[in-house]
């Protein structure tokens, strides 16, 4: 890491995808390189996707002769998709020297019992199989659980070596896990997916696959990457099983039923779809391209991309001009550092504060696993260990050595970037670490909810809590570097932080404070309040009432409230809803017949999307929810109907229909087609079905009994008289003998009441 071993005699350079991206930044054509190989491309890291996209872009624009060749390799590659991206490049299949692997399936394993289930399978395999065992588990917690179980069950069996293998182990421990077992002994390697494709472990002939992996997933609401345990893909399962057949025929045990295998996802979700895109966004801004200009297997999603730009803007890495994002000089300097943009920003800012050595220590700490897991959240305790002010135990010393080396490399980077203050490794006190964390994590500055309590509200709006006995509980303000939790939890656990001196908010951190005039609905959305707020993200530091409020701002606040709650918050009456439905009815009729209409669209969807257009002139000086109930909604809606449409509306879509008795019956336009509900006897003598819109729309008749219950629903009145009426008469005549049920309803006089009634 951060080292280069390349000379004039070098012919093959082995680099990470992140290093490739930096090579492309300095030389987009990759002059002097003939072939770029992307190995293990199925892992689909965001750096690999970005490196491939930039390589294709540079090759097309800047590399004619000699042509730059590309080779993508993997044992489980989605070759069809990759070939299409590379202009139908040829696909070469090489079987290699693999040996047969016998695959055995078991029962499903609960996530909470993965460690115990793997340990049990290991014990059974030690009895049945020969050779060393490689077991795949999701993460460190499950590995430790399986390790404890095996040690307890294998007491006295000195021919079995149990070796954990995960990224946070020291190099010596990792090498011990990878090395073949000594003669006469067997090895059980408990590994994460780190051993899936990158390593060959000598002597392994048995693979035990829990079927789970732990992958980082970006959580947009909190702008944090969380570890998520999920089922492996079919490709990963095949890759894992293949570890047993590298050197000889082997055996693979899968801790899930065979029928579940086909239901696994074919390939793992690419990292670009589930990670923090801020590093990628910074690199593309440095190149001067947008995602749309590049060729991707899976392009960045719009929402996480925008969130990445917003973070970079808060870190002063980019600015928006003419609706385009452009990198700043500060952003260019950040892009030149092989660090996450947060840490790069912190390092560069530390030079101005004469704190670069402390910043390098902090960057090293934040780039590795925690030195003091479970021993309090205060980052100052870790810095004291790094600087020798506290005594480290034997477990911590290898990591401390790596951290100090990392900090030294960061200082060298800063010196190359023009910083001279890094010569002194202790040029600032630990007490100023809070300022550095706030610079790196402005969205995670938190304020205590209650004095002396463990709960905090962060600038990103998220709630967070400290462990009950953590000494940092006395801090009103925190800068939080590491959080944990799940998306389903309402609060995150704070694992690494520093108490902030509030004076920084008025001095070095003052440019993080935004002043804005806001109108917002308070008291559960019942009252509109206008005030000036001093804010750090979603934290309101101070507020003052506004004496005068711009009418346009007030309008927007009122319309926003209505938009959020929906049109039902307006003072609708049944008459207004019927008026709206009458207009919509005529509009639909025109659209069905000729494809266009003079009648405007007054659907709820249109009204909500265009509140500004039709309602803003009528909101006036609304400051309370009761004022909305006094809104002249009728005038606002009727203003949308230009002359002579109001007159035509009454002619073509009348509110009532006069039936043969002379009764004016209300038409219900809320149903399609419009409904006329009328007592059956009042329609005697009428043959033609009532209609509106100049006869183009037949009403749906609900012919009612004397008890006002529907006897028949029809749009063909004459057919009803000729057919169904006679069955209705048989059923109803005995039930309602006082009402007329003539044999010929077409010649009988219409009746409102009983036979004796004169009307």
């Amino acid at each position: 890491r951060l080292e280069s071993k390349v000379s004039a005699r070098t012919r093959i350079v082995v680099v990470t995808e992140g290093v490739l991206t930096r090579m492309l930044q300095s030389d987009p054509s990759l002059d002097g390189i003939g072939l770029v190989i992307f190995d293990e491309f199925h892992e689909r890291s965001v750096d690999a996707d970005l490196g491939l996209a930039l390589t294709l872009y540079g090759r097309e624009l800047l590399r004619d002769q000699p042509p730059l060749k590309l080779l993508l390799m993997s044992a489980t590659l989605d070759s069809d998709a990759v070939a299409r991206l590379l202009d139908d490049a040829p696909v070469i299949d090489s079987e290699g020297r693999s040996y047969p692997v016998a695959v055995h399936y078991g029962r499903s394993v609960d996530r909470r019992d993965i460690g115990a289930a793997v340990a049990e399978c290991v014990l059974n395999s030690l009895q049945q199989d020969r050779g060393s065992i490689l077991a795949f588990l999701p993460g460190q917690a499950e590995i430790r659980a399986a390790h404890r179980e095996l040690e307890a069950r294998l007491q006295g069996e000195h021919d079995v070596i149990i070796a954990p293998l995960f990224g946070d182990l020291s190099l010596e421990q990792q090498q011990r896990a990878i090395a073949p077992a000594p003669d006469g002994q067997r090895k059980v390697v408990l590994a994460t997916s780190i051993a899936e494709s990158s390593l060959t472990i000598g002597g392994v002939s048995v693979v035990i696959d829990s079927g789970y992996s732990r992958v980082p997933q970006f959580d947009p609401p909190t702008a944090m990457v969380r570890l998520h345990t999920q089922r492996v893909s079919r490709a990963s399962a095949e890759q894992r099983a293949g570890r047993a057949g590298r050197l000889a025929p082997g055996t693979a045990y899968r801790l899930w039923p065979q029928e579940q295998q086909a239901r696994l996802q074919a390939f793992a979700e690419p990292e670009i779809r589930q990670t923090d895109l801020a590093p990628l966004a910074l690199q593309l801004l440095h190149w001067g391209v947008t995602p749309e200009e590049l060729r991707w297997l899976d392009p960045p999603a719009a929402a996480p991309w925008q969130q990445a730009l917003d973070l970079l803007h808060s870190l002063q890495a980019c600015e928006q001009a003419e609706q385009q994002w452009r990198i700043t000089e500060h952003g260019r300097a950040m892009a030149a550092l092989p660090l996450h943009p947060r840490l790069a920003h912190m390092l560069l800012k530390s030079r101005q504060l004469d704190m670069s050595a402390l910043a390098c220590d902090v960057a090293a700490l934040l780039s590795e696993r925690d030195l003091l897991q479970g021993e309090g959240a205060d980052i100052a305790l870790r810095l004291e260990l790094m600087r020798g002010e506290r005594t480290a135990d034997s477990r911590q010393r290898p990591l401390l050595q790596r951290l100090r080396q990392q900090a030294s490399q960061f200082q060298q980077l800063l010196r190359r970037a023009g910083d001279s203050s890094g010569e002194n490794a202790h040029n600032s006190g630990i007490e100023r670490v809070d300022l550095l964390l706030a610079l790196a994590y402005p969205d995670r500055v938190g304020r205590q909810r209650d004095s002396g309590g463990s709960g905090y509200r962060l600038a990103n709006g998220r709630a967070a809590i400290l462990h009950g006995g953590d000494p940092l509980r006395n801090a009103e303000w925190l800068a939080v570097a590491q959080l944990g939790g799940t998306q389903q939890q309402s609060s995150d656990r704070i694992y690494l932080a520093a108490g902030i001196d509030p004076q920084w908010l008025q001095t070095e951190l003052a440019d993080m404070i935004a002043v804005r005039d806001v109108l917002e609905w308070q008291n559960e959305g019942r009252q509109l309040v206008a005030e000036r707020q001093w804010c750090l993200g979603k934290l309101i530091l101070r507020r003052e009432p506004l004496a005068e409020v711009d009418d346009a701002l007030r309008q927007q606040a009122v319309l926003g409230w209505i938009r959020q709650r929906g049109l039902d918050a307006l003072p609708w009456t049944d008459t207004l809803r019927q008026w709206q439905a009458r207009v919509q009815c005529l509009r639909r009729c025109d659209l069905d017949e000729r494809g266009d209409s003079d009648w405007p669209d007054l659907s709820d969807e249109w009204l909500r999307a265009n509140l500004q257009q039709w309602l803003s002139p009528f909101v006036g000086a609304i400051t309370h929810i009761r004022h909305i109930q006094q809104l002249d909604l009728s005038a606002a809606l009727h203003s949308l109907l230009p002359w002579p449409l109001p007159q035509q509306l009454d002619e073509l879509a009348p509110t009532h229909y006069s039936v043969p008795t002379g009764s004016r019956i209300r038409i219900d336009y809320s149903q399609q087609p419009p409904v006329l509900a009328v007592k059956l006897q009042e329609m005697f003598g009428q043959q033609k079905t009532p209609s509106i819109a100049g006869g183009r729309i037949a009403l749906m008749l609900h012919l009612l009994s004397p008890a006002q219950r529907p006897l028949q629903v029809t749009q063909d009145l004459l057919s009803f008289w000729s057919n169904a009426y006679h069955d209705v008469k048989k059923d109803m005549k005995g039930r309602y003998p006082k009402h007329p049920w003539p044999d010929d309803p077409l010649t009988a006089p219409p009746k409102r009441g009983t036979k004796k009634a004169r009307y």
Side-chain angles (χ1 to χ4, degrees), residues 15-32:
V15 300
T16 65
E17 293 101 338
V19 170
L20 172 64
T21 300
R22 300 189 180 283
M23 293 171 64
L24 286 161
Q25 291 284 15
S26 59
D27 180 12
S29 67
L30 292 180
D31 186 37

Side-chain angles (χ1 to χ4, degrees), residues 706 732-741 753-757:
M732 294 293 107
K733 192 171 184 179
R735 188 176 301 178
Y736 300 104
K738 296 182 179 180
H739 294 264
W741 301 96
T754 61
K755 295 175 183 178
K756 296 181 179 180

Side-chain angles (χ1 to χ4, degrees), residues 472-484:
L472 284 179
R473 287 182 58 182
N474 296 322
E476 179 187 1
W477 290 89
L478 287 182
V480 181
Q482 290 182 5
L483 290 158

